[in-house]
Amino acid sequence: MNYKYKLGFIGCGNMAKAIINGLLDSNLLSTKDIFVSTPSISAPYREVPFTNDNQEVASNCEYVILAIKPQIFKAISEDLANIKSKCVISIMAGVNTDTIAKVCNCNQVIRIMPNTPCSIGEGVSAITSFNADEESNDFVESIFKTISKVVRVEEKYFDAVTSISGSGPAYVYYFIKAMIDGGVKGGLSFEQSKELTIATMIGASKMVENSSEELDTLIQKVCSKGGTTIQAIDTFREKSVDKSIIEGIDKCRKRSEELSKV
């Protein structure tokens, strides 16, 4: 089948715009390859052609990304029935590939769980496939590699993905805020404490990424008996900070499971 466009978007929210930015900035696709359907804009985003007709996108694009919320998916299900695209790509939370395949009456479905740092090209995206061939898988991975790292995960673990990478940026922001506040309490200006905290978070993350040592070993290397760091670590252990984090992540995962059954 001959398609007018390579890639269509149904929905043009923040994540769709991040993906479009990645595609255009990397030259993976041009504005002539992309088509967008959304009622929320009245002018083209980055000169990408757009329409308010979902069926127009569903009928003219080789690949279609469902960049919408689950409740909207249900509302526009009639527009998506018998979609003409070769492969449907979903970034919706809580809607599994089997459901998408049935609603759209399509053979190939690829589901992605990106996170908000994708908006600055520093995200991570979990990916799983339903009947997708090698060409589709490679193309979809290439899309998301323009804005994130890509990790293949079985769909049954996507609720766990939500609790780590999907919701995880908020946990990191929470810890960063506490570190900054701690620095301010010690007499630093907010900007000084913020700069030191962010640089420390980035550097420590790169250490973990590049080191073959266990995390407990890396922690111990910064701590010395009777020194300063161990005072903070001992306090975190006494307050069971690690258990609180694990408990929070577990509750997040369970809520994701509940929402996916609605």
Side-chain angles (χ1 to χ4, degrees):
M1 181 174 177
N2 292 322
Y3 296 98
K4 188 174 180 180
Y5 302 97
K6 181 71 173 179
L7 180 65
F9 287 80
I10 294 180
C12 195
N14 291 332
M15 190 57 68
K17 289 176 180 176
I19 297 167
I20 291 170
N21 287 339
L23 292 169
L24 298 180
D25 293 345
S26 67
N27 295 314
L28 182 65
L29 296 179
S30 73
T31 55
K32 295 179 181 179
D33 300 314
I34 305 170
F35 194 30
V36 172
S37 171
T38 175
S40 63
I41 60 174
S42 57
Y45 180 71
R46 292 195 62 172
E47 304 305 317
V48 172
F50 77 101
T51 177
N52 299 129
D53 187 348
N54 295 324
Q55 291 183 341
E56 194 176 353
V57 169
S59 299
N60 289 288
C61 300
E62 184 177 1
Y63 295 85
V64 167
I65 294 182
L66 301 179
I68 52 178
K69 295 180 179 179
Q71 58 268 33
I72 296 176
F73 176 64
K74 294 177 182 179
I76 67 169
S77 58
E78 289 185 10
D79 293 343
L80 302 175
N82 297 309
I83 200 166
K84 298 296 189 294
S85 301
K86 172 186 175 180
C87 179
V88 175
I89 306 154
S90 171
I91 60 172
M92 294 184 295
V95 183
N96 63 39
T97 54
D98 184 59
T99 298
I100 295 166
K102 288 176 180 176
V103 169
C104 298
N105 193 24
C106 60
N107 293 322
Q108 298 189 44
V109 178
I110 296 178
R111 184 179 172 193
I112 310 287
M113 175 70 71
N115 63 2
T116 53
C118 287
S119 64
I120 58 167
E122 294 289 345
V124 62
S125 300
I127 181 171
T128 193
S129 303
F130 177 86
N131 288 337
D133 60 26
E134 184 177 358
E135 182 183 36
S136 295
N137 277 309
D138 288 347
F139 176 62
V140 174
E141 283 198 24
S142 71
I143 292 172
F144 285 88
K145 281 180 179 178
T146 66
I147 56 172
S148 66
K149 291 186 176 181
V150 174
V151 180
R152 286 215 157 260
V153 180
E154 290 182 59
E155 187 166 23
K156 64 183 178 180
Y157 299 121
F158 259 48
D159 293 310
V161 170
T162 297
S163 71
I164 298 298
S165 61
S167 300
Y171 315 156
V172 178
Y173 303 151
Y174 189 91
F175 195 77
I176 287 174
K177 182 179 183 301
M179 284 184 66
I180 292 172
D181 289 346
V184 170
K185 185 177 181 180
L188 295 171
S189 70
F190 176 85
E191 289 303 324
Q192 287 173 325
S193 190
K194 179 181 176 182
E195 185 174 3
L196 290 166
T197 297
I198 292 172
T200 300
M201 292 288 286
I202 293 171
S205 296
K206 289 184 180 295
M207 285 282 289
V208 173
E209 183 178 36
N210 295 312
S211 177
S212 60
E213 295 181 303
E214 297 290 332
L215 281 165
D216 283 338
T217 301
L218 291 176
I219 293 169
Q220 194 58 42
K221 280 190 169 184
V222 189
C223 299
S224 57
K225 189 174 181 180
T228 58
T229 309
I230 193 64
Q231 298 301 312
I233 295 299
D234 281 347
T235 300
F236 297 155
R237 286 169 176 163
E238 289 167 11
K239 301 291 185 180
S240 297
V241 172
D242 56 343
K243 291 180 181 178
S244 294
I245 293 169
I246 293 168
E247 183 181 352
I249 290 171
D250 193 50
K251 286 185 176 181
C252 179
R253 176 184 55 79
K254 289 177 179 176
R255 181 55 178 161
S256 179
E257 291 172 352
E258 290 172 2
L259 292 173
S260 66
K261 294 173 184 176
V262 174

